[in-house]
C-alpha cells in the first residue's frame, strides 16, 4: 500500500515524541488544507535542504527522507555514527532541513483515486478522466514543479488546463505548495538544495554563478553513488524548483533520482542511497 498523508502525520508525531531537539513546523497548507511540513535538526547557522519529489504520488521519496531523518535523530541522541561519521559533531555546525511531502494533496488523490480531493473532487475527476495512474498534480490539477517563478512565461507546455500532469498553472507561484517551498527557502537560505526524485537512477545539478562548485560536488556524488550524471537542458528548468533555486540563491540545486520501484523495495533503495544522502548533508 502506498504511503499517504495520515502515515506522514503518524511518523511526524512519533519523531516529535521521541526527539525533543527536533524542530517541526508547517510551512504552508495545500488547497485541501493539508500541512506542508518541515523538520529540522542541528545547531549550525548554515543549512542543507532536502525535498521529496513534487511528482512522487506513491510516497517513496517521502519515506526515504523520513527514514534518513529518523536515523540522524537516533544517531544524534545516542552519540552514534552513520557510515563512520559522528553525527553530533556534524550537526553542531550544520542544520539539516527536510520537507518530506511537497505535494500532500497529490499524494492523497493518487492514494484514494480522487476520493480525498475534498471540494476539488469534481475538478480532479474531470482532469484525470477517472484514470489516476499518472496523477502527479495538486488538487487544482497543477504540476507544482512547473509553477515556480523562474522564466515561467517561457515554459512551454501543450497542457493548457488542469490535468493529471503537465499543466503549469494560471500564473507563476499560483499554488500554495509552491509558495510554501519558496517561503522556507527564503527563511533558511540553504547553501544548497537536494530534491529526491524517483524518475530513474541519475544525479543532476542546476546552478547559476557557482558552476565550478556544482561540477565538483556532482562528480563527488557520482563517485560515491555510481550514478550517472544527467544534463539538464536550459528549457527544462523553466518553472522548476531547481531553476528557481539556483537563480534566486546563486547556489546549487541537486536532484538525486532513485529507481521507481514499489514501496516494498524501500529498504533496498534506502540502503543504496544512505551514504549519498549523508555525504550531501556534510559537504
Amino acid at each position: 500500500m502506498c504511503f499517504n498523508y495520515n502515515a506522514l502525520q503518524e511518523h511526524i508525531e512519533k519523531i516529535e515524541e521521541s526527539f525533543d531537539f527536533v524542530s517541526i513546523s508547517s510551512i504552508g497548507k495545500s488547497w485541501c488544507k493539508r500541512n506542508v511540513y518541515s523538520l529540522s535538526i542541528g545547531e549550525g547557522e548554515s543549512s542543507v535542504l532536502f525535498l521529496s519529489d513534487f511528482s512522487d504520488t506513491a510516497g517513496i521519496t517521502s519515506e526515504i527522507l523520513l527514514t534518513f531523518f529518523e536515523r540522524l535523530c537516533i544517531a544524534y541522541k545516542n552519540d552514534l555514527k552513520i557510515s563512520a561519521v559522528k553525527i553530533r559533531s556534524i550537526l553542531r555546525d550544520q542544520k539539516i532541513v527536510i520537507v518530506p511531502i511537497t505535494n500532500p494533496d497529490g499524494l492523497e488523490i493518487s492514494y484514494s483515486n480522487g476520493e480525498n480531493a475534498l471540494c476539488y473532487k469534481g475538478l480532479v475527476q474531470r482532469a484525470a478522466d477517472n484514470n489516476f495512474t499518472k496523477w502527479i498534480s495538486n488538487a487544482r490539477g497543477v504540476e507544482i514543479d512547473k509553477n515556480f517563478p523562474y522564466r515561467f512565461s517561457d515554459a512551454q507546455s501543450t497542457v493548457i488546463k488542469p490535468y493529471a500532469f503537465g499543466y503549469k498553472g494560471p500564473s507563476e507561484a499560483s499554488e500554495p505548495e509552491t509558495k510554501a517551498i519558496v517561503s522556507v527557502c527564503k527563511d533558511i537560505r540553504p547553501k544548497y538544495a537536494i530534491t529526491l526524485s524517483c524518475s530513474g537512477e541519475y544525479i543532476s545539478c542546476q546552478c547559476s554563478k557557482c558552476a565550478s562548485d556544482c561540477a565538483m560536488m556532482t562528480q563527488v556524488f557520482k563517485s560515491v553513488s555510481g550514478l550517472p550524471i544527467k544534463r539538464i537542458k536550459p528549457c527544462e528548468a523553466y518553472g522548476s524548483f531547481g531553476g528557481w533555486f539556483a537563480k534566486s540563491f546563486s547556489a546549487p540545486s541537486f536532484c538525486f533520482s532513485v529507481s521507481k520501484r514499489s514501496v516494498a523495495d524501500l529498504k533496498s533503495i534506502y540502503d543504496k542511497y544512505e551514504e549519498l544522502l549523508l555525504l550531501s548533508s556534510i559537504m
Side-chain angles (χ1 to χ4, degrees), residues 3 11 52 56 59-71 98 100 196-198 256-259 265-271 273-274 277:
F3 189 73
H11 207 135
S52 67
D56 177 15
I60 295 171
T61 60
S62 299
E63 288 206 81
I64 290 172
L65 283 182
L66 285 167
T67 300
F68 176 59
F69 191 83
E70 190 167 14
R71 289 264 291 152
I98 70 165
L196 195 62
S197 178
C198 57
F256 299 159
S257 187
V258 305
S259 176
D265 296 323
L266 179 67
K267 185 179 185 305
S268 63
I269 297 173
Y270 178 80
D271 289 345
Y273 284 83
E274 182 179 75
L277 293 172

Side-chain angles (χ1 to χ4, degrees), residues 186-224:
K186 290 182 176 179
D187 183 40
I188 67 174
R189 302 192 70 85
K191 59 183 182 180
Y192 47 88
I194 295 161
T195 302
L196 195 62
S197 178
C198 57
S199 52
E201 297 185 339
Y202 64 83
I203 294 171
S204 66
C205 180
Q206 297 181 58
C207 53
S208 179
K209 297 179 181 179
C210 52
S212 60
D213 290 345
C214 184
M216 180 274 292
M217 292 175 71
T218 304
Q219 287 296 333
V220 172
F221 295 150
K222 176 186 176 182
S223 67
V224 168

Side-chain angles (χ1 to χ4, degrees), residues 230-245:
K230 179 180 178 180
R231 306 296 177 186
I232 304 297
K233 298 176 182 178
C235 62
E236 294 175 336
Y238 299 166
S240 73
F241 168 77
W244 170 78
F245 182 87

Side-chain angles (χ1 to χ4, degrees), residues 27 36 49 51 54 99 101-102 144 148 176-186 241 244:
I27 58 174
V36 180
L49 175 66
L51 305 170
F54 297 96
V99 180
I101 291 185
T102 51
I144 298 168
F148 282 85
E177 300 90 347
T178 313
K179 290 182 173 74
I181 301 303
V182 168
S183 175
V184 74
C185 288
K186 290 182 176 179
F241 168 77
W244 170 78

